[in-house]
Amino acid sequence: MSSRRELANAIRALSMDAVQKAKSGHPGAPMGMADIAEVLWNDFMQHNPANPQWFNRDRFVLSNGHGSMLIYSLLHLTGYDVSIDDLKNFRQLHSKTAGHPEYGYCPGVETTTGPLGQGITNAVGMAVAEKILAAQFNRDGHDIVDHNTYAFMGDGCLMEGISHEACSLAGTLGLGKLIAFWDDNGISIDGEVEGWYTDDNVKRFESYGWQVIPNIDGHNPDQIRDAISQAKANTEQPTLICCKTIIGFGSPNKEGKEDCHGAPLGDDEIKLTRERLGWTHAAFEVPEDLYADWNAVEAGSHAENEWNERLSAYRAEFPELADELLRRISGELPADFSEKAEAYIAAVAEKGDTIASRKASQNAINAYAPMLPELLGGSADLAGSNLTLWSGAKGVSKEDASGNYLFYGVREFGMSAIMNGIALHGGFVPYGATFLVFMEYARNALRMAALMKQRAIHVYTHDSIGLGEDGPTHQPIEQVANLRHTPNMSTWRPCDAVESAVAWKAALERTDGPTAMVFSRQGLPHHARTAEQIANIKRGGYILRDTDGQPDAILIATGSEVGLAMDAAEALAADGVKARVVSMPETGLFDKQDAEYRESVLPSAVTARVAVEALQADFWYKYVGLNGAIVGMTTFGESAPAGELFKHFGFTVENVAEKVKSVI
């Protein structure tokens, strides 16, 4: 059996060699945390390299994702489909081994990390999902959902504000299966952190309700092993293990310094490091006996087979629960959901309520949630305003985690990144809410959801100057354009209860990315539609009001401004101007339709076009052209009642009609 230091040195050697070959990267963290990783992965991690998606595996998150060669080395050594050539292609185009770990590119990478603080927050989401799923499905004698979430993080992760949001909530929820390792090496890019980071993290995490294990020598395997055992023994609290490490461990001239944080060591220093570590092997060469000691395929297959036997016993006693668990793990919605949702949409269309779209959203949740036990809701403290609570909502708590609703508190960024972790874990479709303007706090977590193609649903209310007296601090202007321009983000702004119901159905059925749904505070009029028009809502844009023959002009609108466009078209008709009204609740979906459909809605022969939306105006030039007109916002809002604001900023029938006439 190889010594623990030799096993850890395999990580160090592969990491410094790959960074050197790529001529870029971060060797310091992998070399500093190699001893911690060796103990965790060889003595504790429950995983199967032959089946990276085995459900009951432990989750490992490298929150300090710049140290990506640490996880790539671990995956390679333990037997995942990560070859030595993959390591040699570190940071190269289309390689599995990207500069930062990317979900979906490399087997065994549980989440995309790099934006510091979000990895630990994703880990909180994974631990939340495990705890709730266990509470919902485990039965006496059948702990069928039973795994840990481990996270590595550095000083940078702990400096980021999101770590406070997430770790505070983790303590409140008592996430006893979450174990985090703080790489306390005292170094960041700018040097020794004492000049800008002097937090007492022991007291900080104790105040959150965590178990804290301080002063562990991160290069002493016995201390590391004892700390992890102590952490696993406490199932009532998450645990922070504080590991004192030396960044770039083994490098004679660069260890302990910022020099090795984000740059190759250099050929000469690598040679000296090999000598100091006693590593006599060539670049990218690992002896067979070390590979054999690292390999986890046999142990992983045994662990999965043992779990499958437990699953069979569980199924024998609880067949319906077992089938439901497996359905939810698969991510497939109930077979009858689509049909029942269509029936609800038809009923909403027939009823014809004039209500705020945020209320229409709540009605849709009330209709769909009883069909979807996997729906896990929440709001960043604004449930009474976002209207995300529904009749069957039950809060999740430390004492009773069997509920389906998370009270996130005022933690918009934390909520959104936790939702990513929940989605990545599996078994749930998470939704969370806040005011649209506060999407800005969570912006990077939304980007990460889109990058990872995760089904996370973001509910944003109070969607324009229409929220009124709270003024420009709360009135969103540029946020929807930001969402629409985010690759792989589906962004809906419904105009009434019917479009809101369709939007929710589309969001729930979408499996390849997140959805943002933007709802109004104020009441919106119902619009009558044919069955064909209702069917076309899901195409993102459709003709809501048409003319006999070719229209003279086309009005394009979303959300609360669709009603205004309809009234303006009526006024124009009285003046002999034929105006078509196109409702475009999801511009991205409309853009994906075939050319024939897009031409049928926005015929190229009709160049007189006006877009109406009480949000950032410039987005709409792609539809109206440079010769078209836009009734939109080019400034921030003001504090006043909504009706006065709409008049002040030109959202009136008279102004819209004049704009149409000006472009004909």
Side-chain angles (χ1 to χ4, degrees):
M1 176 72 185
S2 308
S3 72
R4 287 201 177 275
R5 182 53 54 83
E6 286 178 307
L7 293 169
N9 284 346
I11 297 173
R12 294 186 172 100
L14 290 172
S15 297
M16 64 183 183
D17 289 342
V19 172
Q20 187 66 29
K21 187 174 187 299
K23 296 183 173 59
S24 72
H26 301 75
M31 296 174 73
M33 298 193 80
D35 295 304
I36 308 168
E38 186 278 317
V39 174
L40 175 63
W41 279 65
N42 282 323
D43 291 7
F44 294 95
M45 276 284 289
Q46 175 180 268
H47 64 118
N48 184 6
N51 181 14
Q53 296 305 310
W54 169 40
F55 176 71
N56 204 46
R57 68 191 182 278
D58 289 337
R59 272 63 169 178
F60 175 78
V61 175
L62 185 69
S63 189
N64 46 341
H66 54 270
S68 55
M69 269 310 304
L70 175 65
I71 191 168
Y72 297 147
S73 299
L74 288 164
L75 295 170
H76 169 71
L77 291 166
T78 54
Y80 285 79
D81 184 18
V82 180
S83 69
I84 199 71
D85 285 336
D86 291 323
L87 301 191
K88 291 178 180 179
N89 285 325
F90 178 53
R91 289 183 159 234
Q92 304 310 301
L93 184 64
H94 302 314
S95 169
K96 292 179 183 178
T97 52
H100 290 83
E102 291 191 36
Y103 176 81
Y105 273 71
C106 186
V109 170
E110 299 284 0
T111 181
T112 301
T113 55
L116 295 180
Q118 286 197 64
I120 180 59
T121 309
N122 294 164
V124 170
M126 294 172 187
V128 165
E130 192 277 342
K131 179 164 184 166
I132 299 174
L133 210 61
Q136 292 178 352
F137 283 95
N138 287 353
R139 295 295 183 267
D140 288 344
H142 296 276
D143 289 335
I144 204 66
V145 180
D146 181 19
H147 48 267
N148 286 91
T149 301
Y150 298 103
F152 281 9
M153 55 186 181
D155 293 315
C157 289
L158 293 180
M159 283 186 247
E160 289 286 358
I162 190 175
S163 72
H164 296 259
E165 297 182 26
C167 295
S168 168
L169 187 60
T172 299
L173 293 176
L175 302 181
K177 297 286 188 69
L178 173 64
I179 299 173
F181 299 79
W182 169 30
D183 181 29
D184 182 13
N185 61 31
I187 295 292
S188 67
I189 289 176
D190 282 350
E192 296 181 8
V193 300
E194 290 179 355
W196 50 87
Y197 186 58
T198 57
D199 296 23
D200 187 332
N201 282 313
V202 172
K203 290 180 180 178
R204 171 185 161 188
F205 275 78
E206 285 178 344
S207 76
Y208 293 155
W210 287 52
Q211 172 182 229
V212 180
I213 303 174
N215 300 318
I216 298 300
D217 181 347
H219 303 295
N220 184 319
D222 293 334
Q223 287 190 26
I224 297 164
R225 194 178 198 287
D226 289 347
I228 298 172
S229 296
Q230 183 182 340
K232 285 176 65 71
N234 184 345
T235 59
E236 300 300 312
Q237 296 172 289
T239 297
L240 176 70
I241 301 176
C242 306
C243 298
K244 276 287 184 185
T245 64
I246 300 171
I247 190 171
F249 181 93
S251 170
N253 298 303
K254 296 188 177 183
E255 71 174 15
K257 302 175 183 177
E258 65 270 19
D259 296 7
C260 65
H261 170 87
L265 297 181
D267 290 331
D268 291 342
E269 187 67 13
I270 286 177
K271 181 180 178 181
L272 293 173
T273 303
R274 276 184 153 74
E275 292 173 358
R276 184 173 176 191
L277 294 176
W279 188 263
T280 60
H281 317 291
F284 296 103
E285 183 181 303
V286 177
E288 288 303 318
D289 60 330
L290 283 181
Y291 272 125
D293 290 339
W294 265 108
N295 193 287
V297 172
E298 183 178 348
S301 296
H302 176 77
E304 183 173 355
N305 290 337
E306 189 272 336
W307 183 77
N308 285 333
E309 291 175 4
R310 287 194 282 136
L311 180 62
S312 295
Y314 178 73
R315 181 191 291 279
E317 192 166 349
F318 306 102
E320 292 181 0
L321 275 178
D323 288 345
E324 179 68 1
L325 175 63
L326 293 176
R327 179 191 69 77
R328 286 174 56 174
I329 291 171
S330 76
E332 294 182 6
L333 300 183
D336 60 353
F337 172 74
S338 184
E339 181 181 350
K340 289 182 176 178
E342 290 291 344
Y344 171 71
I345 292 165
V348 171
E350 184 176 350
K351 189 177 182 184
D353 282 341
T354 292
I355 55 176
S357 54
R358 62 171 173 160
K359 180 60 180 176
S361 167
Q362 185 180 47
N363 291 346
I365 298 171
N366 266 300
Y368 297 152
M371 312 176 202
L372 302 172
E374 59 264 55
L375 199 58
L376 181 58
S379 183
D381 195 56
L382 295 167
S385 296
N386 298 145
L387 302 185
T388 46
L389 284 167
W390 61 285
S391 59
K394 176 186 175 183
V396 173
S397 67
K398 177 179 180 178
E399 295 74 23
D400 181 3
S402 64
N404 55 15
Y405 192 90
L406 286 161
F407 292 92
Y408 285 101
V410 187
R411 301 180 176 101
E412 295 89 355
F413 193 5
M415 171 184 73
S416 303
I418 287 170
M419 287 166 58
N420 289 345
I422 291 169
L424 287 159
H425 177 277
F428 295 98
V429 177
Y431 72 87
T434 185
F435 289 173
L436 175 58
V437 76
F438 300 131
M439 176 277 290
E440 298 289 357
Y441 282 139
R443 177 73 188 92
N444 202 256
L446 270 68
R447 185 176 188 272
M448 297 297 282
L451 187 64
M452 293 189 285
K453 301 180 180 179
Q454 291 303 299
R455 178 164 53 181
I457 301 173
H458 299 273
V459 176
Y460 296 122
T461 67
H462 297 60
D463 70 338
S464 72
I465 58 171
L467 73 87
E469 292 87 344
D470 279 340
T473 60
H474 285 55
Q475 292 166 8
I477 301 298
E478 70 276 23
Q479 285 72 23
V480 169
N482 190 319
L483 290 165
R484 288 172 177 151
H485 283 304
T486 300
N488 204 41
M489 175 68 70
S490 179
T491 304
W492 287 83
R493 189 171 183 245
C495 74
D496 66 1
V498 180
E499 286 189 359
S500 299
V502 173
W504 260 106
K505 179 176 183 290
L508 291 163
E509 292 182 334
R510 185 178 189 221
T511 59
D512 61 352
T515 301
M517 291 188 290
V518 177
F519 297 117
S520 72
R521 177 195 184 197
Q522 70 274 25
L524 304 181
H526 169 73
H527 300 286
R529 297 173 180 83
T530 65
E532 181 181 5
Q533 286 174 312
I534 294 173
N536 282 338
I537 294 172
K538 65 178 178 290
R539 304 183 80 160
Y542 64 101
I543 301 168
L544 183 60
R545 174 193 169 111
D546 211 359
T547 63
D548 292 330
Q550 181 168 291
D552 299 318
I554 299 174
L555 280 162
I556 309 169
T558 79
S560 51
E561 287 70 67
V562 170
L564 173 60
M566 292 287 278
D567 291 343
E570 186 74 22
L572 286 164
D575 291 340
V577 177
K578 297 189 296 183
R580 170 182 290 183
V581 176
V582 171
S583 177
M584 199 176 286
E586 215 290 43
T587 61
L589 279 176
F590 179 76
D591 291 346
K592 292 176 182 176
Q593 302 306 306
D594 60 79
E596 182 180 0
Y597 179 76
R598 286 184 280 117
E599 177 68 16
S600 72
V601 176
L602 298 176
S604 52
V606 183
T607 58
R609 301 180 183 183
V610 175
V612 188
E613 188 176 56
L615 294 166
Q616 202 272 340
D618 288 353
F619 171 83
W620 290 100
Y621 282 114
K622 66 187 287 190
Y623 298 109
V624 304
L626 295 179
N627 295 321
I630 302 165
V631 180
M633 296 295 295
T634 57
T635 68
F636 292 115
E638 297 283 351
S639 179
E644 292 182 27
L645 289 172
F646 280 122
K647 291 177 183 177
H648 175 74
F649 287 107
F651 294 94
T652 64
V653 170
E654 296 77 16
N655 186 48
V656 172
E658 285 303 313
K659 289 287 187 183
V660 171
K661 292 175 183 177
S662 74
V663 298
I664 292 177

